[in-house]
Amino acid sequence: MADPLATPVPVPVPVSGLGGWARAGRRAGIAGVAIGVLAAGAAAGVAVERLAMGRDVRRRARQALDAAGPYGTLRGTPGTAVADDGTELYYEVEEADEFPAAFPDGTPPDAQTTASRRRRRRFAGRRDPAPLTVVFSHGYCLTQDSWHFQRAALRGHVRTVYWDQRSHGRSARGISQLAGDEPVTIEQLGRDLKAVVDAAAPEGPLLLVGHSMGGMTIMAFADQFPDAVRDRVAGAAFLGTSSGDLGRVTFGLPAAGAWAVRHFVPGVLRALGSRAELAERGRQATADLFAGIIKHYSFGTEGVDPGVARFAERLLESTPIDVVAEFYPAFAAHEKGEALALFRDLPGLVLVGDRDMVTPPEHSEHIAARLPDAAVEVVEDAGHLAMLERPDRVNDALAALLARTGVRLRTGPGAEPGAGPVRRPRGTTRRTL
């Protein structure tokens, strides 16, 4: 689930300005109906699970999965970009030759070793041309660690940058939002991406990869910085995302349920965001139901690896409820179909899970219609988090896209645990959505 439904189960809270406890209770009741409809499919499975296992057993199982899973453990060379409002944005860089066989555990070399390699690349006082950099932008309520499988497969093969969107992961809370000066907008995220590019990849060609909100961020970047796209972008990949019209998404619900979600969830989130501490306690108290909702909207089948499912849950749990509330309204205003024209003549990839209920396949169809040269991949039995649920398919599609930009991935030892192979590109095929 990652966008735009990463919402905890609400708890009744008093909301200032709504006439005290009685009116707050009525509002919370309506909220419960809206979220309850949303959660209905997942709740039945959770109820059955409750009969089979006690709460302590489930808690210990989650702790065991957290301790055993390698997901989200990969790290690169850290850096900080400063957004136009002063917000510090955290990113990590992995150079193409930074993780050879000499570093089989994936530990980055020290700065002196890296610097000496760069000096050796110079010849007759001139630097080699800057390499292509792949920049990964994650989705709503996730972090850069959501690219774990792609990161593990690509490290050592191509220069990559991973960053945390403002108020997510290791990035700072948005200064404009903390000050109350302005709400979060997708346009702001596009400017944030520009700041990261300027800091982490100031020269050389770029391949932009975005999942869900990250794909929208790329569109906003293009809309505001068209010259940067024309001058530097060598290709783009849009994974499980949308160019607009998100207000019509039904989330797989019947008409009444979809109406309830559209009309009540924004107000519910505002109320919860204003009482973040209490709401967080409510989320912890309903962890089982929350996990069921995440699994239902993140993955296409029940057979997903429990470790991967728990990893997704942990990523979403890490996003504070007031951040969830801050970002949610931005999606209704997102309309960036026209910006896609800047990618029309570039190598592209449009990928979606066939069971994605958050950004359904028809949204990828609209993107693909504007990118006639893009390869289109519909991943069978995959939900919104296809890059975690079907990493081999996503990795193969990215490898093929890299080949179209002129980058041939080096073969060699040492794929990270859980990476999934980066196979030899097999060309691109356009599939009908």
Side-chain angles (χ1 to χ4, degrees):
M1 168 178 118
D3 313 283
L5 283 177
T7 59
V9 176
V11 295
V13 295
V15 182
S16 60
L18 294 181
W21 279 96
R23 293 171 66 184
R26 289 195 294 273
R27 186 181 183 112
I30 294 172
V33 172
I35 300 297
V37 171
L38 185 68
V46 172
V48 172
E49 183 189 9
R50 281 182 177 277
L51 295 175
M53 293 192 300
R55 178 176 294 179
D56 288 343
V57 173
R58 293 192 300 274
R59 178 178 54 80
R60 288 195 295 269
R62 285 194 291 266
Q63 290 173 344
L65 288 171
D66 291 345
Y71 313 119
T73 59
L74 305 181
R75 301 267 65 90
T77 302
T80 301
V82 180
D84 56 6
D85 67 347
T87 301
E88 294 187 346
L89 305 170
Y90 177 84
Y91 65 82
E92 294 180 1
V93 179
E94 297 186 1
E95 301 293 344
D97 60 353
E98 197 170 8
F99 299 94
F103 302 97
D105 62 350
T107 303
D110 57 52
Q112 184 175 2
T113 303
T114 302
S116 67
R117 285 185 185 151
R118 289 171 179 160
R119 284 193 295 271
R120 286 198 299 272
R121 293 192 194 113
R122 297 177 184 272
F123 177 75
R126 299 178 60 185
R127 289 185 58 186
D128 293 339
L132 178 137
T133 300
V134 186
V135 182
F136 286 85
S137 300
H138 69 77
Y140 176 46
C141 297
L142 297 173
T143 74
Q144 63 174 268
D145 291 341
S146 62
W147 298 110
H148 173 86
F149 291 102
Q150 292 67 51
R151 186 172 193 157
L154 291 176
R155 57 178 16 196
H157 296 285
V158 64
R159 188 176 194 268
T160 52
V161 171
Y162 305 88
W163 68 292
D164 291 330
Q165 302 253 21
R166 64 173 51 219
S167 302
H168 290 69
R170 294 172 175 83
S171 286
R173 290 294 302 272
I175 288 179
S176 296
Q177 289 71 57
L178 285 175
D181 294 339
E182 59 183 69
V184 174
T185 63
I186 303 299
E187 287 74 17
Q188 176 66 71
L189 304 185
R191 296 195 297 275
D192 289 352
L193 175 56
K194 180 62 161 57
V196 170
V197 166
D198 288 347
E203 57 184 350
L206 303 170
L207 175 61
L208 303 178
V209 181
H211 167 248
S212 202
M213 184 178 76
M216 302 175 204
T217 298
I218 293 172
M219 298 175 206
F221 168 84
D223 189 48
Q224 296 171 96
F225 306 102
D227 288 344
V229 176
R230 297 187 188 100
D231 295 344
R232 296 193 57 195
V233 175
F238 299 96
L239 280 57
T241 189
S242 173
S243 59
D245 206 21
L246 284 165
R248 295 180 181 273
V249 174
T250 67
F251 308 114
L253 298 171
W259 181 89
V261 169
R262 285 196 296 269
H263 284 75
F264 294 125
V265 165
V268 170
L269 287 176
R270 285 194 299 272
L272 293 173
S274 69
R275 296 293 187 272
E277 184 177 350
L278 184 59
E280 291 294 351
R281 290 202 297 269
R283 177 156 65 173
Q284 294 168 13
T286 56
D288 295 332
L289 181 56
F290 185 52
I293 296 173
I294 291 173
K295 189 172 182 180
H296 183 68
Y297 282 99
S298 295
F299 305 112
T301 68
E302 293 296 319
V304 65
D305 181 339
V308 172
R310 173 57 189 159
F311 176 53
E313 180 185 347
R314 189 154 45 92
L315 287 173
L316 292 160
E317 285 175 344
S318 70
T319 307
I321 182 58
D322 47 343
V323 173
V324 178
E326 283 176 3
F327 275 70
Y328 189 87
F331 300 108
H334 169 65
E335 295 291 340
K336 289 290 181 290
E338 297 301 321
L340 291 169
L342 289 158
F343 300 100
R344 180 181 177 88
D345 298 324
L346 297 175
L349 170 66
V350 180
L351 184 145
V352 65
D354 65 347
R355 300 185 182 184
D356 190 334
M357 291 183 285
V358 178
T359 50
E362 53 264 31
H363 285 252
S364 287
E365 182 178 5
H366 294 155
I367 295 172
R370 294 176 180 268
L371 303 176
D373 196 40
V376 179
E377 292 283 345
V378 181
V379 182
E380 296 86 357
D381 297 326
H384 192 54
L385 300 186
M387 70 282 192
L388 291 175
E389 187 174 16
R390 299 284 183 265
D392 288 0
R393 287 288 303 275
V394 175
N395 292 351
D396 283 352
L398 289 175
L401 176 60
L402 279 163
R404 294 182 67 198
T405 67
V407 174
R408 293 287 178 178
L409 299 183
R410 299 197 307 270
T411 58
E416 298 293 334
V422 175
R423 301 185 180 93
R424 186 178 299 279
R426 297 172 296 191
T428 58
T429 58
R430 185 172 179 85
R431 301 186 181 190
T432 302
L433 284 162

